[in-house]
Amino acid sequence: MASTDTTAKDGSDLAGLEAGLDALETVQTGRKPFRQTFREKILPPVIAVALVLAVWQALVSFRIVDDPTKLPSPGAVWQVLERAWLEGELLGYIWTSVSRGLLGFLLALLIGTPLGLLVARVRFVRAAIGPILSGLQSLPSVAWVPPAVIWLGLNNQMMYAVILLGAVPSIANGLVSGVDQVSPLFLRAGRTLGATGLKGTWHVVLPAALPGYVAGLKQGWAFSWRSLMAAEIIASFPDLGVGLGQLLENGRNASDMAMVFEAILLILTVGIAIDLLIFSPLERWVLRSRGLLVKG
């Protein structure tokens, strides 16, 4: 009788354990209501921006900073933005820089990805150029502008060269870090199933290294954008057109702080927009595909 009760108790415990595991594996597929999304995702950044604008306006209104050549009011910056929009120049500033930045990033992606795989998978190559990639990643992008101008002249090729030198090491190192974190069990399982060489890299290594790779892509874009701004600020030339970095430099040369703040806000806005539209959804997809993010 006692044995029967013990068996029943063990069966009940096992059933409870299985139910708990099933509950953990259950993925919520329902969409959050808009009110919750607004409260959790939209409202916090809106409040943060409103607070920044309020503090900014207070500094001007209460004459804590009473020199408009040092700190213009939000209204003055808005007037400069509005004038650029009405004159049809605002989108031109943005497109000139964004088109360069995205094209340079794509070129860096095409170079940095195979380079990262080579460094991660070939021991001799890692020993030879791995430390160089790490050193290049820590080198400020602005340092490449003077030699790029001397080598290539004042043209778009110079700007793309600066972007590549800033972004390729980040993308390559991100992929190397992702490959290093791939479990040896995955590699052995892939070899058992015949996934060796390029097939193993494509079907096993790259999917398993995707989180680190995506982190490297995100950092690579940040380096691309920063490198481009440095190149546009330093290497200005009429034939290159006016991008956001050139707009910032024009404001400095004219001692027009409203134009300077206009350029800073546009640079910041573009950086945030690219992250929200491209890299944040990509990160969520990678996490969700690995069961690390519940869809809601």
Side-chain angles (χ1 to χ4, degrees):
M1 186 68 178
S3 176
T4 304
D5 293 341
T6 302
T7 303
K9 183 179 179 180
D10 291 342
S12 177
D13 292 342
L14 182 59
L17 178 60
E18 291 177 349
L21 292 175
D22 290 340
L24 288 174
E25 293 176 355
T26 301
V27 178
Q28 298 177 1
T29 58
R31 185 178 295 274
K32 292 182 180 179
F34 176 75
R35 180 180 300 178
Q36 183 178 356
T37 302
F38 178 81
R39 185 176 65 251
E40 295 178 356
K41 302 289 185 179
I42 301 176
L43 190 59
V46 170
I47 293 175
V49 171
L51 286 175
V52 170
L53 291 176
V55 172
W56 182 1
Q57 184 62 52
L59 291 174
V60 176
S61 299
F62 294 106
R63 298 187 180 276
I64 299 174
V65 180
D66 58 355
D67 187 353
T69 62
K70 294 182 178 179
L71 183 66
S73 66
V77 177
W78 176 256
Q79 289 176 0
V80 174
L81 282 167
E82 185 178 21
R83 184 171 67 248
W85 170 263
L86 294 176
E87 293 176 354
E89 297 177 342
L90 186 62
L91 292 180
Y93 299 150
I94 297 173
W95 175 246
T96 298
S97 293
V98 170
S99 60
R100 285 175 182 158
L102 290 177
L103 180 56
F105 175 74
L106 290 177
L107 292 174
L109 182 64
L110 293 176
I111 297 173
T113 300
L115 180 60
L117 282 174
L118 191 63
V119 172
R121 304 291 288 170
V122 181
R123 186 174 302 175
F124 175 79
V125 176
R126 170 175 292 203
I129 68 174
I132 298 176
L133 285 177
S134 299
L136 290 175
Q137 188 174 357
S138 64
L139 184 68
S141 304
V142 68
W144 289 114
V145 179
V149 172
I150 295 173
W151 293 335
L152 301 173
L154 290 171
N155 50 44
N156 282 320
Q157 286 73 21
M158 174 273 298
M159 294 196 177
Y160 293 136
V162 174
I163 292 174
L164 290 176
L165 290 168
V168 167
S170 295
I171 295 174
N173 282 330
L175 183 52
V176 170
S177 177
V179 172
D180 288 344
Q181 296 175 29
V182 175
S183 173
L185 181 62
F186 293 164
L187 302 178
R188 288 197 296 269
R191 286 193 295 267
T192 302
L193 296 174
T196 58
L198 291 177
K199 185 183 293 186
T201 299
W202 180 256
H203 291 287
V204 179
V205 176
L206 277 178
L210 201 54
Y213 183 45
V214 170
L217 293 182
K218 188 173 182 178
Q219 190 176 37
W221 163 252
F223 274 85
S224 296
W225 191 236
R226 289 162 53 185
S227 302
L228 176 61
M229 291 302 102
E232 288 185 350
I233 290 172
I234 297 176
S236 60
F237 193 65
D239 292 344
L240 293 175
V242 180
L244 297 179
Q246 180 61 55
L247 179 66
L248 182 63
E249 181 64 9
N250 290 344
R252 186 193 70 84
N253 291 332
S255 298
D256 187 345
M257 284 301 296
M259 184 183 294
V260 169
F261 271 79
E262 173 196 19
I264 292 174
L265 290 175
L266 290 174
I267 293 170
L268 182 63
T269 300
V270 170
I272 293 174
I274 294 295
D275 180 72
L276 292 178
L277 294 175
I278 298 178
F279 294 104
S280 291
L282 183 59
E283 281 184 321
R284 288 197 298 270
W285 174 78
V286 171
L287 293 175
R288 189 177 296 122
S289 66
R290 283 157 171 73
L292 301 175
L293 183 68
V294 177
K295 184 178 180 180

